[in-house]
Amino acid sequence: MDTYLMSLPDLQPEEAAGIKDLTSKMTESQKNQFLMIYSGKRKKPGEILLLTCLGFVVVAGIQRFVVGQVGMGILYLFTGGLCLIGTIIDLVNHKKLATEYNLQQMYESSRMVGL
C-alpha cells in the first residue's frame, strides 16, 4: 500500500493515516478504485497557497471556493478577503485548508467505492 501513498504528492500525515485506515478493509480492486477517485478530487497544499496568493492581486476568496466553502468565498469576495486579514490567515494556514478538504474528499471517495 505504501507505493500507492507515494503516488499522491504532498501527502499530509493526517491523510496518510486516514488512507491506511480506510484501505485496510478494502480489496485490491477497491483500493485501486478509491485511490483513482481520491487522487482526482484532492487538492495539493501548493495549489491552495497559489490561489491564496492570487487573492491579494486578483480576486479574494478563490481558495475558499475551491475547497467548497462557498459562503466564506462570497464573504471574502465582497470584503476584500476580510480587509486582507482573512487572506493573510489563509496564507499561513493553507496546509490546514487543503488537509481538511482532502479528508472530506477521502471519506466521500470511500463511500463511492462502497465502504
Side-chain angles (χ1 to χ4, degrees):
M1 186 61 203
D2 292 333
T3 57
Y4 293 124
L5 295 178
M6 288 193 210
S7 68
L8 298 170
D10 297 329
L11 193 66
Q12 300 300 307
E14 296 90 354
E15 285 181 89
I19 290 172
K20 284 182 180 181
D21 183 48
L22 285 174
T23 57
S24 66
K25 305 169 192 117
M26 294 181 184
T27 65
E28 199 63 34
S29 173
Q30 286 176 319
K31 287 179 188 179
N32 290 332
Q33 188 179 8
F34 165 77
L35 288 167
M36 191 168 64
I37 293 169
Y38 177 61
S39 65
K41 290 183 170 199
R42 76 181 293 270
K43 303 291 182 208
K44 296 179 212 160
E47 292 174 8
I48 303 301
L49 177 63
L50 177 65
L51 293 170
T52 305
C53 289
L54 286 175
F56 285 109
V57 183
V58 183
V59 178
I62 298 171
Q63 73 279 7
R64 295 293 182 151
F65 285 109
V66 169
V67 295
Q69 298 176 356
V70 177
M72 284 296 287
I74 291 170
L75 181 66
Y76 275 41
L77 182 67
F78 288 125
T79 62
L82 299 175
C83 298
L84 293 180
I85 294 170
T87 304
I88 293 168
I89 291 170
D90 284 355
L91 191 65
V92 173
N93 293 326
H94 70 279
K95 285 186 180 181
K96 181 181 175 192
L97 282 173
T99 301
E100 288 174 356
Y101 175 79
N102 289 339
L103 290 174
Q104 181 183 16
Q105 296 306 311
M106 180 190 317
Y107 293 113
E108 185 179 307
S109 298
S110 71
R111 284 191 298 269
M112 292 175 75
V113 170
L115 269 184

